[in-house]
PDB file of all heavy atoms in Angstrom:
ATOM      1  N   SER A 125      14.154   1.716  -0.189  1.00  0.00           N
ATOM      2  CA  SER A 125      13.714   1.633  -1.598  1.00  0.00           C
ATOM      3  C   SER A 125      12.280   2.138  -1.771  1.00  0.00           C
ATOM      4  O   SER A 125      11.456   1.509  -2.429  1.00  0.00           O
ATOM      5  CB  SER A 125      13.840   0.194  -2.106  1.00  0.00           C
ATOM      6  OG  SER A 125      15.170  -0.258  -2.024  1.00  0.00           O
ATOM      7  N   VAL A 126      11.999   3.278  -1.160  1.00  0.00           N
ATOM      8  CA  VAL A 126      10.672   3.900  -1.246  1.00  0.00           C
ATOM      9  C   VAL A 126      10.771   5.148  -2.113  1.00  0.00           C
ATOM     10  O   VAL A 126      11.659   5.978  -1.928  1.00  0.00           O
ATOM     11  CB  VAL A 126      10.157   4.285   0.159  1.00  0.00           C
ATOM     12  CG1 VAL A 126       8.801   4.981   0.064  1.00  0.00           C
ATOM     13  CG2 VAL A 126      10.070   3.055   1.050  1.00  0.00           C
ATOM     14  N   SER A 127       9.873   5.299  -3.073  1.00  0.00           N
ATOM     15  CA  SER A 127       9.846   6.509  -3.882  1.00  0.00           C
ATOM     16  C   SER A 127       8.989   7.564  -3.194  1.00  0.00           C
ATOM     17  O   SER A 127       8.065   7.245  -2.442  1.00  0.00           O
ATOM     18  CB  SER A 127       9.303   6.214  -5.284  1.00  0.00           C
ATOM     19  OG  SER A 127       7.978   5.736  -5.220  1.00  0.00           O
ATOM     20  N   ILE A 128       9.306   8.834  -3.455  1.00  0.00           N
ATOM     21  CA  ILE A 128       8.624   9.938  -2.792  1.00  0.00           C
ATOM     22  C   ILE A 128       8.090  10.929  -3.825  1.00  0.00           C
ATOM     23  O   ILE A 128       8.789  11.299  -4.774  1.00  0.00           O
ATOM     24  CB  ILE A 128       9.559  10.683  -1.819  1.00  0.00           C
ATOM     25  CG1 ILE A 128       9.968   9.768  -0.664  1.00  0.00           C
ATOM     26  CG2 ILE A 128       8.898  11.952  -1.281  1.00  0.00           C
ATOM     27  CD1 ILE A 128      10.944  10.410   0.289  1.00  0.00           C
ATOM     28  N   ARG A 129       6.867  11.335  -3.607  1.00  0.00           N
ATOM     29  CA  ARG A 129       6.275  12.429  -4.376  1.00  0.00           C
ATOM     30  C   ARG A 129       5.915  13.546  -3.405  1.00  0.00           C
ATOM     31  O   ARG A 129       5.189  13.316  -2.447  1.00  0.00           O
ATOM     32  CB  ARG A 129       5.024  11.959  -5.117  1.00  0.00           C
ATOM     33  CG  ARG A 129       4.341  13.056  -5.934  1.00  0.00           C
ATOM     34  CD  ARG A 129       3.013  12.565  -6.464  1.00  0.00           C
ATOM     35  NE  ARG A 129       2.334  13.559  -7.269  1.00  0.00           N
ATOM     36  CZ  ARG A 129       1.038  13.526  -7.556  1.00  0.00           C
ATOM     37  NH1 ARG A 129       0.290  12.531  -7.106  1.00  0.00           N
ATOM     38  NH2 ARG A 129       0.492  14.470  -8.284  1.00  0.00           N
ATOM     39  N   VAL A 130       6.444  14.723  -3.631  1.00  0.00           N
ATOM     40  CA  VAL A 130       6.138  15.877  -2.801  1.00  0.00           C
ATOM     41  C   VAL A 130       5.110  16.747  -3.505  1.00  0.00           C
ATOM     42  O   VAL A 130       5.287  17.118  -4.663  1.00  0.00           O
ATOM     43  CB  VAL A 130       7.400  16.717  -2.502  1.00  0.00           C
ATOM     44  CG1 VAL A 130       7.032  17.984  -1.728  1.00  0.00           C
ATOM     45  CG2 VAL A 130       8.429  15.911  -1.732  1.00  0.00           C
ATOM     46  N   ILE A 131       4.014  17.040  -2.817  1.00  0.00           N
ATOM     47  CA  ILE A 131       3.064  18.034  -3.299  1.00  0.00           C
ATOM     48  C   ILE A 131       3.199  19.236  -2.367  1.00  0.00           C
ATOM     49  O   ILE A 131       2.794  19.188  -1.210  1.00  0.00           O
ATOM     50  CB  ILE A 131       1.613  17.507  -3.303  1.00  0.00           C
ATOM     51  CG1 ILE A 131       1.484  16.287  -4.212  1.00  0.00           C
ATOM     52  CG2 ILE A 131       0.647  18.612  -3.752  1.00  0.00           C
ATOM     53  CD1 ILE A 131       0.082  15.672  -4.231  1.00  0.00           C
ATOM     54  N   ASN A 132       3.785  20.288  -2.885  1.00  0.00           N
ATOM     55  CA  ASN A 132       4.006  21.497  -2.100  1.00  0.00           C
ATOM     56  C   ASN A 132       2.835  22.456  -2.312  1.00  0.00           C
ATOM     57  O   ASN A 132       2.594  22.920  -3.425  1.00  0.00           O
ATOM     58  CB  ASN A 132       5.320  22.162  -2.539  1.00  0.00           C
ATOM     59  CG  ASN A 132       5.537  23.493  -1.866  1.00  0.00           C
ATOM     60  OD1 ASN A 132       5.239  23.664  -0.687  1.00  0.00           O
ATOM     61  ND2 ASN A 132       6.060  24.454  -2.606  1.00  0.00           N
ATOM     62  N   ILE A 133       2.082  22.727  -1.228  1.00  0.00           N
ATOM     63  CA  ILE A 133       1.000  23.699  -1.338  1.00  0.00           C
ATOM     64  C   ILE A 133       1.649  25.072  -1.414  1.00  0.00           C
ATOM     65  O   ILE A 133       2.086  25.640  -0.404  1.00  0.00           O
ATOM     66  CB  ILE A 133       0.033  23.622  -0.133  1.00  0.00           C
ATOM     67  CG1 ILE A 133      -0.447  22.188   0.069  1.00  0.00           C
ATOM     68  CG2 ILE A 133      -1.152  24.558  -0.359  1.00  0.00           C
ATOM     69  CD1 ILE A 133      -1.187  21.592  -1.097  1.00  0.00           C
ATOM     70  N   SER A 134       1.723  25.591  -2.606  1.00  0.00           N
ATOM     71  CA  SER A 134       2.453  26.825  -2.848  1.00  0.00           C
ATOM     72  C   SER A 134       1.505  28.024  -2.852  1.00  0.00           C
ATOM     73  O   SER A 134       0.334  27.928  -2.478  1.00  0.00           O
ATOM     74  CB  SER A 134       3.215  26.720  -4.175  1.00  0.00           C
ATOM     75  OG  SER A 134       4.124  27.791  -4.323  1.00  0.00           O
ATOM     76  N   SER A 135       2.013  29.153  -3.269  1.00  0.00           N
ATOM     77  CA  SER A 135       1.255  30.403  -3.228  1.00  0.00           C
ATOM     78  C   SER A 135       1.877  31.384  -4.205  1.00  0.00           C
ATOM     79  O   SER A 135       3.073  31.273  -4.531  1.00  0.00           O
ATOM     80  CB  SER A 135       1.290  30.981  -1.803  1.00  0.00           C
ATOM     81  OG  SER A 135       0.902  32.331  -1.788  1.00  0.00           O
ATOM     82  N   GLY A 136       1.081  32.344  -4.650  1.00  0.00           N
ATOM     83  CA  GLY A 136       1.643  33.412  -5.470  1.00  0.00           C
ATOM     84  C   GLY A 136       2.727  34.168  -4.732  1.00  0.00           C
ATOM     85  O   GLY A 136       3.618  34.772  -5.346  1.00  0.00           O
ATOM     86  N   ALA A 137       2.678  34.098  -3.394  1.00  0.00           N
ATOM     87  CA  ALA A 137       3.682  34.772  -2.571  1.00  0.00           C
ATOM     88  C   ALA A 137       5.066  34.165  -2.737  1.00  0.00           C
ATOM     89  O   ALA A 137       6.071  34.785  -2.375  1.00  0.00           O
ATOM     90  CB  ALA A 137       3.269  34.715  -1.104  1.00  0.00           C
ATOM     91  N   ALA A 138       5.146  32.952  -3.268  1.00  0.00           N
ATOM     92  CA  ALA A 138       6.451  32.317  -3.498  1.00  0.00           C
ATOM     93  C   ALA A 138       7.179  32.952  -4.674  1.00  0.00           C
ATOM     94  O   ALA A 138       8.396  32.804  -4.803  1.00  0.00           O
ATOM     95  CB  ALA A 138       6.274  30.827  -3.747  1.00  0.00           C
ATOM     96  N   ASN A 139       6.440  33.656  -5.525  1.00  0.00           N
ATOM     97  CA  ASN A 139       7.023  34.223  -6.741  1.00  0.00           C
ATOM     98  C   ASN A 139       6.880  35.738  -6.846  1.00  0.00           C
ATOM     99  O   ASN A 139       7.566  36.366  -7.653  1.00  0.00           O
ATOM    100  CB  ASN A 139       6.368  33.592  -7.974  1.00  0.00           C
ATOM    101  CG  ASN A 139       6.492  32.084  -7.996  1.00  0.00           C
ATOM    102  OD1 ASN A 139       7.594  31.554  -7.936  1.00  0.00           O
ATOM    103  ND2 ASN A 139       5.372  31.378  -8.075  1.00  0.00           N
ATOM    104  N   ASN A 140       5.982  36.324  -6.029  1.00  0.00           N
ATOM    105  CA  ASN A 140       5.695  37.751  -6.144  1.00  0.00           C
ATOM    106  C   ASN A 140       5.805  38.431  -4.781  1.00  0.00           C
ATOM    107  O   ASN A 140       5.182  37.989  -3.811  1.00  0.00           O
ATOM    108  CB  ASN A 140       4.275  37.962  -6.684  1.00  0.00           C
ATOM    109  CG  ASN A 140       4.059  37.301  -8.028  1.00  0.00           C
ATOM    110  OD1 ASN A 140       4.659  37.683  -9.022  1.00  0.00           O
ATOM    111  ND2 ASN A 140       3.218  36.278  -8.052  1.00  0.00           N
TER     112      ASN A 140
END
Side-chain angles (χ1 to χ4, degrees):
S125 300
V126 178
S127 62
I128 295 177
R129 179 188 181 198
V130 175
I131 300 178
N132 174 39
I133 308 300
S134 191
S135 164
N139 303 304
N140 302 294

